[in-house]
Amino acid sequence: MQSRVLLIYTGGTIGMNHNPKTGALEPFDFEHLLYHVPELKQLDTEIDTYQFQPPIDSSNMTPARWTDISHCIADRYQDYDGFVVLHGTDTMAYTASALSYMLENLTKPVVFTGSQLPIGQFRTDGKENLITSIEIAAAKDDKGRALVPEVGIYFNSHLLRGNRTTKQSAEEFNAFESFNYPHLVDAGVNINYHQGRILRPDYGKPMTPHFRLDNNVIIFSLFPGIREDLIRHIIHTPNLKAIVMRTFGSGNAPQSPWLLNALKEGTRNGKIIVNISQCMQGAVEMSRYDCGYHLQEAGVISGRDMTVESAVTKLMFLQSHYPDDPDSVRQLMQQSIRGEMST
């Protein structure tokens, strides 16, 4: 039986044209995208399209837009075998991470893709990204179940787990990487599905969509010379519930008494402070060095090997579900709920 895939165009470089007067990139009508990829007609897949109006520059992506994408998928979930979301690259990892939390027990693929060059340009990477994303979204096993029932990002011949992925380059076609988790799919002459790496849902239960997010969260990075007054200003920000603190190496921070006292004040006042490494690869291990151990004593929790994008969207998701229960949020932030961290 022929698979049905819904192609959702939110915006991004893949659907851009050069304005002949200004030379700037601007979105064009989605029908032109299909015009530029006649190869889609050769796929043994029924493809329907949905276009956001107006298309969204991914720099303008918001939690409200994540909810719109979730609704778009949830409302049509029973009608399609898979979904491909065309999205700008700048915030794609944030959106893919958010959707992984918002679509609980996902039994069908949601593949995010885009391109570094507009699809109408001669050297575009958009054609291969789009065609293979649709093939992966449509792929089933001999029981008729999706081969990749999770949220992923497909770019440059690789499918990566969405909530493990970070944009690594603004110029290379290999724009994304999941440094702490291996590829789910590698596409060369053949498409190789690494089944042991792919999440498996409970097929006895339905997919459960969630539409609430609480964005009372902030990210800040430590650096040599960071000022006490600025950190204290952040810690005491009204309505702020959580902080993603990007630390050095395996989760280290300066042992300045003022910093540890400020962090203790924050955690005593109910704020959740999650330790994420500034390194692209590796995990936070706060018991490894004395610097990290003092963070533990201050009430900071380990984000282990989560990406920043995954940590901040997970906090938004959990805070919306446990608005008056920071202890539950802390507990779940240290557990893998969508394959976002190593166990």
Side-chain angles (χ1 to χ4, degrees), residues 166-234:
T166 294
K167 185 176 181 181
Q168 67 169 355
S169 176
E171 296 184 351
E172 295 178 5
F173 287 154
N174 190 28
F176 292 91
E177 189 53 84
S178 54
F179 292 96
N180 288 321
Y181 197 76
H183 301 163
L184 304 180
V185 177
D186 291 302
V189 174
N190 298 305
I191 301 178
N192 186 15
Y193 295 85
H194 304 291
Q195 293 295 335
R197 305 170 185 172
I198 298 169
L199 291 175
R200 290 297 158 211
D202 183 345
Y203 288 101
K205 297 180 181 178
M207 188 279 286
T208 304
H210 302 277
F211 305 115
R212 297 195 313 266
L213 293 167
D214 180 345
N215 64 345
N216 286 300
V217 58
I218 196 168
I219 304 167
F220 74 74
S221 294
L222 296 178
F223 57 90
I226 193 166
R227 288 177 45 168
E228 177 180 357
D229 58 333
L230 299 181
I231 291 296
R232 288 192 176 278
H233 182 74
I234 292 171

Side-chain angles (χ1 to χ4, degrees), residues 9-26:
Y9 177 57
T10 68
T13 299
I14 194 168
M16 294 288 183
N17 255 344
H18 276 287
N19 184 309
K21 293 183 179 179
T22 66
L25 288 174
E26 55 187 34

Side-chain angles (χ1 to χ4, degrees), residues 134-167:
I134 292 172
E135 285 195 86
I136 292 170
K140 300 177 184 178
D141 63 18
D142 53 8
K143 294 181 180 179
R145 292 174 174 172
L147 288 180
V148 190
E150 61 173 287
V151 177
I153 290 178
Y154 182 83
F155 240 82
N156 195 49
S157 303
H158 308 299
L159 181 72
L160 317 171
R161 177 165 294 164
N163 58 30
R164 289 286 197 142
T165 305
T166 294
K167 185 176 181 181

Side-chain angles (χ1 to χ4, degrees), residues 5 21 53 55 87 97 103 140 151 155 185 212 221 234 236-237 245 263 267 270 291 298 300 321 335-336:
V5 170
K21 293 183 179 179
Q53 290 287 4
H87 192 290
S97 294
L103 302 174
K140 300 177 184 178
V151 177
F155 240 82
V185 177
R212 297 195 313 266
S221 294
I234 292 171
H236 294 292
T237 300
M245 182 173 67
L263 296 174
T267 56
C291 299
V300 176
H321 285 72
Q335 298 175 18
S336 179

